[in-house]
Amino acid sequence: MEINKEEVEQRFRRSRISYNDNARVQKMVVNRMIPMILSSVKRVPEKILEIGCGTGLLTSQLQRTFSSDGLYLNDLVEELCYHAATVNRVSLTHCFPGDVEKLFLPLSFDLIASASTFQWFTTPEETFKKLSKRLEQNGVLVFSTFGKFNLREIRLTTGGGLDYRSKEELEKMLELYFKIELIEEEFYMLEFDSPLAVLQHLKKTGVNVSGDSTIWTKGRVDAFIKDYNARFAIDGKVTLTYHPLYFVCRKR
């Protein structure tokens, strides 16, 4: 699936109110990342960049952990960037809203962190190169993204969805610019009462289910429900898989 950043931006803007209450896995991912970040930094980082801050799940943890005046935020959605900054007492002058793949970053950082964002990159290798140049000597990039098996039930049912990159693909791109110190992966299997509840969950976390702009007519929804139940219903529940990947990378 080709990634349309404008569409991604619109979906996350629409889901900003419902995101935190529905982003169960994303919250667990952030909690998993903080010990990785702490063990990777040799000293308290003076300048930190968070890419894809969204509603501020990781932002609040970074602010609590480092109490830093040097925290800078980026998000594709401008109002999310400024909102996360305001809520977490980050100066609005420390916001870099926009597509980080195209954005000019005027500073260098000791730590670049990102949770559940890099799957949206359209040119990951070029972006990793760019980020490595924006790290100070011995600086680290710590991020989570989603792997090949993420939302597998959706792809098997609709035939569409985001084409997630494998751990090996990302490793190959990263090792050109970084010394990779840690790679980990996890699987979370969420249970829902119905396929319709799965659709609602994804909508509330800003995910486009099928990866296309086709209108979800009643007939299409009914077919989705029937097929999803046939494939994934167990004891009156249906499953949805999340596949987080974690990387700790030090600048070469």
Side-chain angles (χ1 to χ4, degrees):
M1 162 191 155
E2 195 171 308
I3 297 170
N4 181 331
K5 291 284 181 76
E6 285 181 15
E7 190 186 314
V8 172
E9 183 184 350
Q10 287 165 11
R11 289 202 312 273
F12 279 106
R13 185 180 286 115
R14 285 196 298 267
S15 68
R16 69 189 185 277
I17 304 300
S18 59
Y19 184 87
N20 281 6
D21 289 337
N22 293 274
R24 287 183 272 166
V25 171
Q26 290 86 344
K27 286 176 185 172
M28 290 187 277
V29 163
V30 163
N31 290 335
R32 188 90 178 74
M33 284 180 66
I34 292 300
M36 294 179 183
I37 290 170
L38 277 171
S39 63
S40 71
V41 295
K42 306 296 186 191
R43 54 185 173 79
V44 176
E46 288 179 25
K47 289 195 181 72
I48 303 166
L49 172 65
E50 183 190 350
I51 295 170
C53 64
T55 57
L57 294 178
L58 179 58
T59 314
S60 60
Q61 296 268 32
L62 289 170
Q63 193 68 303
R64 194 177 302 128
T65 304
F66 297 115
S67 304
S68 174
D69 292 332
L71 178 58
Y72 292 78
L73 303 180
N74 156 265
D75 198 83
L76 187 61
V77 183
E78 187 174 12
E79 55 260 53
L80 281 180
C81 198
Y82 288 121
H83 176 73
T86 303
V87 169
N88 293 285
R89 302 180 308 285
V90 174
S91 168
L92 297 186
T93 62
H94 285 204
C95 288
F96 303 134
D99 181 356
V100 78
E101 294 195 279
K102 297 173 181 172
L103 211 57
F104 170 70
L105 297 169
L107 300 169
S108 290
F109 304 91
D110 302 297
L111 166 66
I112 297 176
S114 180
S116 309
T117 296
F118 285 13
Q119 66 274 8
W120 302 112
F121 283 177
T122 52
T123 55
E125 189 177 311
E126 287 173 35
T127 306
F128 291 145
K129 181 180 182 180
K130 172 183 178 175
L131 296 180
S132 74
K133 289 179 177 177
R134 293 270 65 86
L135 277 173
E136 295 284 2
Q137 199 60 40
N138 211 37
V140 283
L141 167 68
V142 183
F143 72 93
S144 69
T145 185
F146 289 109
K148 275 287 186 193
F149 297 100
N150 203 58
L151 311 185
R152 59 180 287 275
E153 296 88 345
I154 298 295
R155 286 205 305 285
L156 289 168
T157 306
T158 66
L162 193 60
D163 188 16
Y164 295 94
R165 297 173 186 95
S166 70
K167 188 172 57 175
E168 293 75 20
E169 285 174 287
L170 290 167
E171 185 179 6
K172 195 173 175 183
M173 294 180 212
L174 285 160
E175 62 189 7
L176 297 169
Y177 313 106
F178 298 93
K179 179 177 180 287
I180 302 172
E181 296 187 345
L182 177 78
I183 303 176
E184 288 190 7
E185 67 182 329
E186 292 179 314
F187 292 91
Y188 292 104
M189 194 83 82
L190 300 190
E191 279 193 345
F192 294 88
D193 290 331
S194 69
L196 200 56
V198 172
L199 287 181
Q200 288 163 348
H201 162 76
L202 291 171
K203 185 179 180 183
K204 287 173 180 175
T205 54
V207 176
N208 178 4
V209 174
S210 62
D212 62 34
S213 55
T214 310
I215 301 298
W216 278 72
T217 61
K218 184 180 182 302
R220 191 176 182 205
V221 172
D222 288 347
F224 173 86
I225 290 170
K226 186 179 177 184
D227 194 12
Y228 204 103
N229 273 325
R231 291 169 182 264
F232 305 112
I234 302 168
D235 298 330
K237 300 275 187 182
V238 292
T239 58
L240 182 66
T241 303
Y242 279 89
H243 180 203
L245 304 176
Y246 303 89
F247 290 84
V248 175
C249 312
R250 196 167 302 277
K251 179 173 177 165
R252 281 197 180 279

